[in-house]
Structures are given as structure tokens and as C-alpha cells.
């Protein structure tokens, strides 16, 4: 595509020293899911991801916002729009699995990455 520049929306969840991320390109509809463990307070892995994908929007739980992450995003090359969700509107594993079953059917029909993530939980 001539002149194509991805526009990523990033959703993240930091819990302890683990960070789960989901980001997708709104133009190609490609979804990426990952997680990593931060070894220090600089959050180098998340910082690198932000610089690489330059999200245009960030979705986060209102009550679990991390001021270091917000500061990092506001200092990124492209300052994203922030969408803060109430935890009641966020999917936990059970609600997500129920929704996936409604879309894909039984777990055997799910994309392999989603099967793996549910098995890990």
C-alpha cells in the first residue's frame, strides 16, 4: 500500500511486574497479543514497544492506571488519545472465554494463540 502507515490501538494491563499487551492496527485489523516481565522500574520492554508501534490510542483500566506508563506514553513520538475504562466494562478471563465461545464455538476452534493463553491462565 502506497503511503500506508499503521495506526495502532494499544491496551495494556500491568499487574505486579507482569505487563500484558494487546495492540491492533485499525487499518489492517491485525491483532497482536503478548506479555512480558519487567525486570526494573524503567519498563524498557514497554518503552521499546511504544516507540515501535507509536499507538494513536491507549485503552486502560481507570483504576489501575500506572503514572509511569502514562508519563512514558505522553513523552512518546506520537501522543496518543487515552481511553480509561471502568473495571466493570473490562473483560476478565471468564467473560472473555464466554465471548470467544460465542464467536468461535468450542475452544478447539479458537485461534491457537488464544487457546494457549487460556490454558496458561
Amino acid at each position: 500500500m502506497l503511503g500506508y502507515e499503521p495506526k495502532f490501538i494499544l491496551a495494556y494491563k500491568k499487574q505486579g511486574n507482569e505487563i500484558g499487551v494487546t495492540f491492533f492496527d485499525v487499518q489492517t485489523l491485525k491483532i497482536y497479543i503478548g506479555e512480558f516481565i519487567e525486570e526494573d522500574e524503567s519498563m524498557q520492554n514497554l518503552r521499546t514497544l511504544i516507540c515501535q508501534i507509536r499507538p494513536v490510542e491507549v485503552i486502560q483500566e481507570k483504576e489501575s492506571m500506572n503514572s509511569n506508563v502514562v508519563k512514558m506514553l505522553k513523552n512518546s513520538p506520537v501522543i496518543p488519545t487515552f481511553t480509561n475504562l471502568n473495571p466493570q466494562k473490562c473483560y476478565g478471563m471468564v467473560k472473555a472465554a464466554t465471548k470467544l465461545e460465542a464467536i468461535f464455538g468450542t475452544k478447539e476452534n479458537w485461534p491457537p494463540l488464544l487457546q494457549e493463553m487460556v490454558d496458561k491462565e
Side-chain angles (χ1 to χ4, degrees), residues 10-28:
L10 168 69
Y12 77 93
K13 169 93 175 184
K14 185 172 187 327
Q15 188 168 341
N17 67 341
E18 297 178 351
I19 296 179
V21 294
T22 301
F23 55 99
F24 62 97
D25 184 344
V26 297
Q27 294 177 347
T28 64

Side-chain angles (χ1 to χ4, degrees), residues 94-121:
V94 173
K95 190 173 180 180
T98 302
K99 189 71 164 178
L100 288 168
E101 285 177 355
I103 295 169
F104 296 112
T106 62
K107 192 171 99 173
E108 292 76 30
N109 296 328
W110 297 7
L113 178 62
L114 293 177
Q115 289 180 20
E116 182 182 322
M117 292 186 75
V118 169
D119 290 342
K120 284 175 74 176
E121 187 67 27

Side-chain angles (χ1 to χ4, degrees), residues 26-45:
V26 297
Q27 294 177 347
T28 64
L29 301 179
K30 288 188 178 182
I31 299 171
Y32 304 88
I33 301 171
E35 63 183 343
F36 42 86
I37 296 175
E38 290 301 334
E39 297 177 9
D40 59 25
E41 287 298 313
S42 69
M43 294 185 270
Q44 195 60 42
N45 290 330

